[in-house]
Amino acid sequence: MTIDNYKFNGKKAIVRVDFNVPLGENGKVTDDTRIRGALPTLKKILEDGGSLIIMSHMGKPKGKFNPKYSLEQIKDDVAKALGRDVKFAKDCADASEAAANLKPGEVLLLENLRFYPEEEGKPVGIEKDDPKYEEAKKEMKERQKEFAKKLASYADVYVNDAFGTAHRKHASTAVIADSFDADNKMLGYLMEKEVQAVDNILSDIKRPFTAIMGGSKVSTKIGIIENLMDKVDNLILCGGMTYTFAKAQGGKVGNSICENDKLDLALDIIKKAKEKGVNLVLGTDCIAADSFSNDAKTMVVSCMDIPDGWEGLDAGPETRKAFANAIKGAKTILWNGPAGVFEFDNFTAGSRAIAEAIVEATNNGAFSLVGGGDSVACVNKFEMADQVSYVSTGGGALLEAIEGKILPGIAAIKK
Ligand code: AMP
């Protein structure tokens, strides 16, 4: 079933969204992008004459109530965005009455799903090496099924519009779908768009294809890096991982972030890129700082020769040029992860050079996909989000989808 073809009038729809929005000190929403992202789906249901039960997670409360992560804090923002009142259910597992009382056009927001260990389905208070772990896991999986059934019982139809958690087999993202037949479950508009964007990258690659992987570590990106090696023409590896590559090749990296146990892996990536004919672009010079702070003293040095007491926090001018050259001529572009500590205003140049080159390539007809919290924060900071082809709401989910993995949240709908 597709959301466009479904008539929601008189139906109760339970919708999994990603309202994991950043909150300021005072508990106020500081960036409502994710709320706005879900609006097309939520409004379609309400305008059709359906009633809405909205569910989401926020943060990592590890299976228990924590007021810091209560979705009650965002109730008014959701109400404002929808232009109507929103009721709130403090207990996700006990909302039958509130759901049953919903009239067409009414909205009920459930409390943070992750206050319940059943949502993630991981046993709590027991370590993986405990002999009783497997038993506890089995028991928790059963509890997860029951929790998912309870959520499903509130509604006639299930919509998944939370791409950011689609790579997780959680109660609300996947298990719940088993309680609905194929005619009564579907992806929301945001999910449809995300799936389409991944498809654009993977199905009909216009060449050259340039992927830019940044961020702090090689270890968390290795799966996608290896996978991309079979697909891309240019692979830019930047950000903190620059220094693992520099050290692996005999460089001196001072205090720079460096994964000493990943030096062989870095050499292996260099070798594989050569074998596969991929143009691997690594940082050659960097902006080194004498401390990890925005106001640190800086100098441009070779990534291979960073003095003791200094650390590379951003890409240098020569590197920025090389990055831009590999991006400007591309026809397909994927960017995940910043090229420097972009949170500090004085270390944004590398990420900005990447964003500018992507915008130029996009203006010349490239399809550009930017995904992952930090690269999205970059294009927002540079006010360039509307100048790339697509900004994904997914981090891990996007990377897994690009790796070609079937995402449980999507598979559960298609079943
Ligand atoms: P990740 O979560 O692995 O995608 O990494 C994102 C983080 O990497 C951002 O918070 C950046 O500040 C950080 N980062 C990027 N470049 C560097 C660097 N050269 N040194 C330390 N952290 C970095």
Side-chain angles (χ1 to χ4, degrees):
M1 179 52 68
T2 65
I3 182 160
D4 262 335
N5 293 335
Y6 197 86
K7 299 276 170 285
F8 288 93
N9 54 318
K11 303 274 189 193
K12 290 192 169 70
I14 188 157
V15 186
R16 175 57 156 103
V17 294
D18 180 2
F19 282 176
N20 184 23
V21 290
L23 298 179
E25 292 284 300
N26 51 4
K28 289 265 169 286
V29 176
T30 53
D31 179 352
D32 67 350
T33 309
R34 287 183 170 151
I35 296 178
R36 284 187 284 113
L39 284 182
T41 293
L42 303 180
K43 284 191 168 162
K44 147 85 176 160
I45 293 167
L46 292 171
E47 281 160 16
D48 265 10
S51 44
L52 257 184
I53 299 145
I54 304 176
M55 56 179 175
S56 176
H57 76 283
M58 180 186 277
K60 293 184 174 158
K62 305 230 161 84
K64 52 180 193 293
F65 177 79
N66 180 342
K68 207 171 118 193
Y69 299 118
S70 173
L71 285 181
E72 196 161 12
Q73 301 170 95
I74 70 163
K75 183 173 99 84
D76 292 343
D77 294 85
V78 178
K80 203 167 136 210
L82 287 173
R84 56 185 89 202
D85 278 352
V86 171
K87 300 175 200 294
F88 186 72
K90 280 186 191 302
D91 189 347
C92 297
D94 187 18
S96 303
E97 208 181 309
N101 288 338
L102 283 180
K103 295 189 193 64
E106 288 189 339
V107 185
L108 176 68
L109 173 66
L110 302 185
E111 181 55 288
N112 189 345
L113 293 156
R114 289 197 189 161
F115 287 170
Y116 303 78
E118 291 86 353
E119 165 65 358
E120 295 180 73
K122 272 190 265 165
V124 271
I126 182 162
E127 295 301 322
K128 277 195 176 142
D129 54 2
D130 191 306
K132 294 219 171 93
Y133 182 81
E134 280 309 310
E135 203 179 305
K137 196 167 127 190
K138 230 163 117 189
E139 192 206 315
M140 184 51 87
K141 287 284 166 209
E142 285 308 308
R143 280 172 55 187
Q144 185 182 51
K145 276 188 206 155
E146 289 313 306
F147 182 63
K149 276 188 196 153
K150 185 82 202 176
L151 295 171
S153 73
Y154 301 152
D156 308 299
V157 48
Y158 168 65
V159 183
N160 189 353
D161 212 17
F163 184 67
T165 47
H167 58 319
R168 306 279 182 223
K169 195 172 176 191
H170 291 170
S172 67
T173 60
V175 186
I176 186 174
D178 291 342
S179 297
F180 295 89
D181 60 36
D183 289 340
N184 289 302
K185 57 182 169 186
M186 66 209 70
L187 303 179
Y189 287 122
L190 182 63
M191 273 282 232
E192 282 185 349
K193 273 202 315 199
E194 297 276 5
V195 171
Q196 184 59 50
V198 171
D199 205 49
N200 281 348
I201 286 274
L202 293 184
S203 63
D204 177 22
I205 300 173
K206 306 259 186 319
R207 297 197 176 272
F209 179 4
T210 297
I212 308 121
M213 291 285 131
S216 54
K217 293 176 176 170
V218 191
S219 51
T220 53
K221 306 257 158 101
I222 185 62
I224 181 83
I225 290 172
E226 290 195 324
N227 193 278
L228 283 170
M229 211 92 89
D230 291 322
K231 302 189 173 83
V232 299
D233 303 290
N234 303 300
L235 179 60
I236 296 174
L237 297 180
C238 55
M241 49 183 134
T242 306
Y243 310 99
T244 303
F245 280 88
K247 186 154 180 190
Q249 295 177 92
K252 240 183 80 199
V253 298
N255 283 353
S256 307
I257 186 170
C258 179
E259 288 177 283
N260 286 315
D261 58 338
K262 294 290 177 288
L263 302 181
D264 287 343
L265 185 71
L267 292 178
D268 194 47
I269 291 172
I270 294 173
K271 189 167 145 244
K272 276 198 186 133
K274 266 202 197 108
E275 283 166 9
K276 292 179 191 281
V278 171
N279 173 33
L280 180 64
V281 188
L282 293 165
T284 51
D285 61 349
C286 68
I287 301 180
D290 66 350
S291 70
F292 189 79
S293 87
N294 189 44
D295 305 321
K297 249 199 248 149
T298 63
M299 60 178 173
V300 174
V301 289
S302 158
C303 296
M304 298 292 280
D305 196 13
I306 302 173
D308 289 340
W310 292 71
E311 56 192 304
L313 294 189
D314 198 5
E318 186 184 281
T319 299
R320 299 200 292 266
K321 231 183 252 164
F323 288 176
N325 282 340
I327 295 168
K328 281 182 185 168
K331 286 282 170 261
T332 304
I333 302 167
L334 170 69
W335 182 22
N336 174 275
V341 185
F342 76 100
E343 296 92 334
F344 297 152
D345 286 345
N346 292 334
F347 299 93
T348 55
S351 304
R352 189 181 282 277
I354 289 173
E356 281 170 355
I358 294 178
V359 168
E360 189 178 324
T362 310
N363 288 337
N364 289 331
F367 178 80
S368 53
L369 172 52
V370 179
D374 284 314
S375 1
V376 174
C378 278
V379 288
N380 283 336
K381 185 167 181 155
F382 308 148
E383 297 182 354
M384 293 181 190
D386 55 352
Q387 297 171 67
V388 301
S389 309
Y390 191 72
V391 177
S392 173
T393 56
L398 174 73
L399 296 185
E400 287 196 19
I402 300 233
E403 274 178 61
K405 289 188 185 158
I406 309 285
L407 305 185
I410 294 171
I413 297 281
K414 308 269 161 171
K415 230 174 14 188

mmCIF file of all heavy atoms in Angstrom, residues 16 24 36 78 160 189 191 197 206 251 262 268 279 287 295 320 329-330 339 362 368 383 399:
data_model
loop_
_atom_site.group_PDB
_atom_site.id
_atom_site.type_symbol
_atom_site.label_atom_id
_atom_site.label_comp_id
_atom_site.label_asym_id
_atom_site.label_seq_id
_atom_site.Cartn_x
_atom_site.Cartn_y
_atom_site.Cartn_z
ATOM 1 N N ARG A 16 5.022 6.109 13.061
ATOM 2 C CA ARG A 16 6.346 6.194 13.680
ATOM 3 C C ARG A 16 7.094 7.320 12.970
ATOM 4 O O ARG A 16 7.317 7.271 11.762
ATOM 5 C CB ARG A 16 7.089 4.874 13.522
ATOM 6 C CG ARG A 16 8.563 4.878 14.037
ATOM 7 C CD ARG A 16 8.644 5.274 15.491
ATOM 8 N NE ARG A 16 9.834 4.782 16.158
ATOM 9 C CZ ARG A 16 10.921 5.528 16.449
ATOM 10 N NH1 ARG A 16 10.970 6.802 16.091
ATOM 11 N NH2 ARG A 16 11.945 4.985 17.090
ATOM 12 N N GLY A 24 17.250 22.643 23.803
ATOM 13 C CA GLY A 24 18.172 23.535 24.517
ATOM 14 C C GLY A 24 18.093 23.286 26.021
ATOM 15 O O GLY A 24 17.334 22.430 26.485
ATOM 16 N N ARG A 36 9.233 19.207 11.041
ATOM 17 C CA ARG A 36 8.729 19.676 9.742
ATOM 18 C C ARG A 36 8.804 18.566 8.694
ATOM 19 O O ARG A 36 7.929 18.448 7.849
ATOM 20 C CB ARG A 36 9.509 20.912 9.282
ATOM 21 C CG ARG A 36 9.064 22.170 10.055
ATOM 22 C CD ARG A 36 9.689 23.429 9.525
ATOM 23 N NE ARG A 36 11.081 23.547 9.953
ATOM 24 C CZ ARG A 36 12.132 23.488 9.140
ATOM 25 N NH1 ARG A 36 11.960 23.315 7.849
ATOM 26 N NH2 ARG A 36 13.352 23.591 9.607
ATOM 27 N N VAL A 78 4.776 20.379 18.304
ATOM 28 C CA VAL A 78 4.064 19.526 17.351
ATOM 29 C C VAL A 78 2.682 20.136 17.068
ATOM 30 O O VAL A 78 2.238 20.210 15.915
ATOM 31 C CB VAL A 78 3.927 18.075 17.896
ATOM 32 C CG1 VAL A 78 3.152 17.203 16.918
ATOM 33 C CG2 VAL A 78 5.301 17.476 18.178
ATOM 34 N N ASN A 160 5.154 4.064 8.648
ATOM 35 C CA ASN A 160 6.515 4.308 9.136
ATOM 36 C C ASN A 160 7.139 5.455 8.348
ATOM 37 O O ASN A 160 7.325 5.354 7.140
ATOM 38 C CB ASN A 160 7.365 3.040 9.008
ATOM 39 C CG ASN A 160 8.708 3.200 9.717
ATOM 40 O OD1 ASN A 160 9.053 4.297 10.185
ATOM 41 N ND2 ASN A 160 9.460 2.124 9.810
ATOM 42 N N TYR A 189 5.601 9.741 3.514
ATOM 43 C CA TYR A 189 6.198 10.510 2.403
ATOM 44 C C TYR A 189 7.701 10.715 2.565
ATOM 45 O O TYR A 189 8.454 10.667 1.600
ATOM 46 C CB TYR A 189 5.529 11.888 2.288
ATOM 47 C CG TYR A 189 4.133 11.844 1.735
ATOM 48 C CD1 TYR A 189 3.056 12.343 2.465
ATOM 49 C CD2 TYR A 189 3.888 11.313 0.468
ATOM 50 C CE1 TYR A 189 1.771 12.315 1.955
ATOM 51 C CE2 TYR A 189 2.604 11.274 -0.045
ATOM 52 C CZ TYR A 189 1.542 11.776 0.703
ATOM 53 O OH TYR A 189 0.282 11.738 0.187
ATOM 54 N N MET A 191 9.854 8.839 4.172
ATOM 55 C CA MET A 191 10.507 7.558 3.895
ATOM 56 C C MET A 191 10.550 7.307 2.402
ATOM 57 O O MET A 191 11.569 6.881 1.860
ATOM 58 C CB MET A 191 9.713 6.428 4.549
ATOM 59 C CG MET A 191 10.099 6.163 5.946
ATOM 60 S SD MET A 191 11.615 5.209 5.986
ATOM 61 C CE MET A 191 11.105 3.898 7.048
ATOM 62 N N ALA A 197 15.884 8.640 -2.937
ATOM 63 C CA ALA A 197 17.207 9.279 -3.010
ATOM 64 C C ALA A 197 18.312 8.218 -3.027
ATOM 65 O O ALA A 197 19.272 8.326 -3.793
ATOM 66 C CB ALA A 197 17.395 10.231 -1.833
ATOM 67 N N LYS A 206 25.327 8.060 -12.385
ATOM 68 C CA LYS A 206 25.899 8.915 -13.434
ATOM 69 C C LYS A 206 27.337 9.199 -13.023
ATOM 70 O O LYS A 206 27.589 9.593 -11.887
ATOM 71 C CB LYS A 206 25.126 10.239 -13.525
ATOM 72 C CG LYS A 206 23.623 10.061 -13.703
ATOM 73 C CD LYS A 206 23.231 10.274 -15.148
ATOM 74 C CE LYS A 206 21.733 10.255 -15.373
ATOM 75 N NZ LYS A 206 20.951 9.252 -14.656
ATOM 76 N N GLY A 251 53.723 9.071 8.753
ATOM 77 C CA GLY A 251 53.686 10.478 9.135
ATOM 78 C C GLY A 251 53.742 10.684 10.649
ATOM 79 O O GLY A 251 53.552 9.749 11.442
ATOM 80 N N LYS A 262 44.148 1.016 13.879
ATOM 81 C CA LYS A 262 43.544 0.913 12.540
ATOM 82 C C LYS A 262 44.546 1.290 11.437
ATOM 83 O O LYS A 262 44.155 1.562 10.305
ATOM 84 C CB LYS A 262 42.308 1.836 12.441
ATOM 85 C CG LYS A 262 41.157 1.421 13.348
ATOM 86 C CD LYS A 262 40.502 0.140 12.863
ATOM 87 C CE LYS A 262 39.396 -0.368 13.765
ATOM 88 N NZ LYS A 262 39.851 -0.939 15.037
ATOM 89 N N ASP A 268 45.418 -0.911 4.045
ATOM 90 C CA ASP A 268 44.633 -1.831 3.227
ATOM 91 C C ASP A 268 43.663 -1.059 2.319
ATOM 92 O O ASP A 268 43.475 -1.415 1.151
ATOM 93 C CB ASP A 268 43.866 -2.764 4.179
ATOM 94 C CG ASP A 268 43.302 -3.940 3.448
ATOM 95 O OD1 ASP A 268 44.060 -4.535 2.666
ATOM 96 O OD2 ASP A 268 42.100 -4.249 3.648
ATOM 97 N N ASN A 279 40.153 6.719 -7.400
ATOM 98 C CA ASN A 279 41.002 7.857 -7.064
ATOM 99 C C ASN A 279 40.751 8.233 -5.597
ATOM 100 O O ASN A 279 39.752 8.863 -5.284
ATOM 101 C CB ASN A 279 40.658 9.024 -8.002
ATOM 102 C CG ASN A 279 41.377 10.295 -7.613
ATOM 103 O OD1 ASN A 279 42.496 10.259 -7.110
ATOM 104 N ND2 ASN A 279 40.709 11.424 -7.814
ATOM 105 N N ILE A 287 45.050 22.351 8.865
ATOM 106 C CA ILE A 287 45.171 23.474 9.792
ATOM 107 C C ILE A 287 45.361 22.844 11.173
ATOM 108 O O ILE A 287 44.460 22.173 11.694
ATOM 109 C CB ILE A 287 43.920 24.373 9.764
ATOM 110 C CG1 ILE A 287 43.730 24.908 8.343
ATOM 111 C CG2 ILE A 287 44.060 25.514 10.775
ATOM 112 C CD1 ILE A 287 42.537 25.800 8.165
ATOM 113 N N ASP A 295 39.546 29.095 19.724
ATOM 114 C CA ASP A 295 40.504 30.205 19.796
ATOM 115 C C ASP A 295 41.957 29.757 19.804
ATOM 116 O O ASP A 295 42.863 30.557 20.079
ATOM 117 C CB ASP A 295 40.232 31.035 21.064
ATOM 118 C CG ASP A 295 38.785 31.494 21.101
ATOM 119 O OD1 ASP A 295 38.281 31.854 20.036
ATOM 120 O OD2 ASP A 295 38.160 31.444 22.189
ATOM 121 N N ARG A 320 41.967 21.396 0.365
ATOM 122 C CA ARG A 320 40.631 21.889 -0.002
ATOM 123 C C ARG A 320 40.503 21.971 -1.521
ATOM 124 O O ARG A 320 39.463 21.651 -2.084
ATOM 125 C CB ARG A 320 40.377 23.257 0.640
ATOM 126 C CG ARG A 320 40.410 23.215 2.158
ATOM 127 C CD ARG A 320 39.716 24.401 2.785
ATOM 128 N NE ARG A 320 40.371 25.671 2.591
ATOM 129 C CZ ARG A 320 41.248 26.234 3.445
ATOM 130 N NH1 ARG A 320 41.604 25.593 4.546
ATOM 131 N NH2 ARG A 320 41.769 27.421 3.212
ATOM 132 N N GLY A 329 33.617 18.099 -10.885
ATOM 133 C CA GLY A 329 33.296 17.444 -12.153
ATOM 134 C C GLY A 329 32.356 16.262 -11.993
ATOM 135 O O GLY A 329 31.994 15.610 -12.981
ATOM 136 N N ALA A 330 31.958 15.962 -10.746
ATOM 137 C CA ALA A 330 31.175 14.742 -10.516
ATOM 138 C C ALA A 330 29.728 14.903 -10.962
ATOM 139 O O ALA A 330 29.194 16.008 -11.024
ATOM 140 C CB ALA A 330 31.221 14.385 -9.030
ATOM 141 N N ALA A 339 34.746 17.638 7.279
ATOM 142 C CA ALA A 339 36.186 17.568 6.993
ATOM 143 C C ALA A 339 37.021 18.169 8.117
ATOM 144 O O ALA A 339 38.244 18.216 8.019
ATOM 145 C CB ALA A 339 36.475 18.295 5.684
ATOM 146 N N THR A 362 26.124 20.474 -8.346
ATOM 147 C CA THR A 362 24.670 20.294 -8.420
ATOM 148 C C THR A 362 24.085 21.271 -9.441
ATOM 149 O O THR A 362 23.222 20.891 -10.252
ATOM 150 C CB THR A 362 24.020 20.522 -7.035
ATOM 151 O OG1 THR A 362 24.732 19.736 -6.066
ATOM 152 C CG2 THR A 362 22.554 20.117 -7.024
ATOM 153 N N SER A 368 23.210 15.249 -5.877
ATOM 154 C CA SER A 368 24.014 15.266 -4.649
ATOM 155 C C SER A 368 23.164 14.908 -3.441
ATOM 156 O O SER A 368 22.085 15.440 -3.240
ATOM 157 C CB SER A 368 24.641 16.647 -4.455
ATOM 158 O OG SER A 368 23.652 17.660 -4.502
ATOM 159 N N GLU A 383 24.076 27.511 5.256
ATOM 160 C CA GLU A 383 22.847 27.895 4.534
ATOM 161 C C GLU A 383 22.861 27.434 3.081
ATOM 162 O O GLU A 383 22.572 28.179 2.152
ATOM 163 C CB GLU A 383 22.620 29.411 4.638
ATOM 164 C CG GLU A 383 22.398 29.804 6.094
ATOM 165 C CD GLU A 383 22.104 31.275 6.309
ATOM 166 O OE1 GLU A 383 22.185 32.039 5.338
ATOM 167 O OE2 GLU A 383 21.774 31.620 7.451
ATOM 168 N N LEU A 399 23.647 5.158 5.507
ATOM 169 C CA LEU A 399 24.870 4.434 5.142
ATOM 170 C C LEU A 399 24.575 2.950 4.922
ATOM 171 O O LEU A 399 25.072 2.343 3.983
ATOM 172 C CB LEU A 399 25.950 4.630 6.205
ATOM 173 C CG LEU A 399 26.427 6.071 6.357
ATOM 174 C CD1 LEU A 399 27.576 6.169 7.343
ATOM 175 C CD2 LEU A 399 26.857 6.662 5.013
#
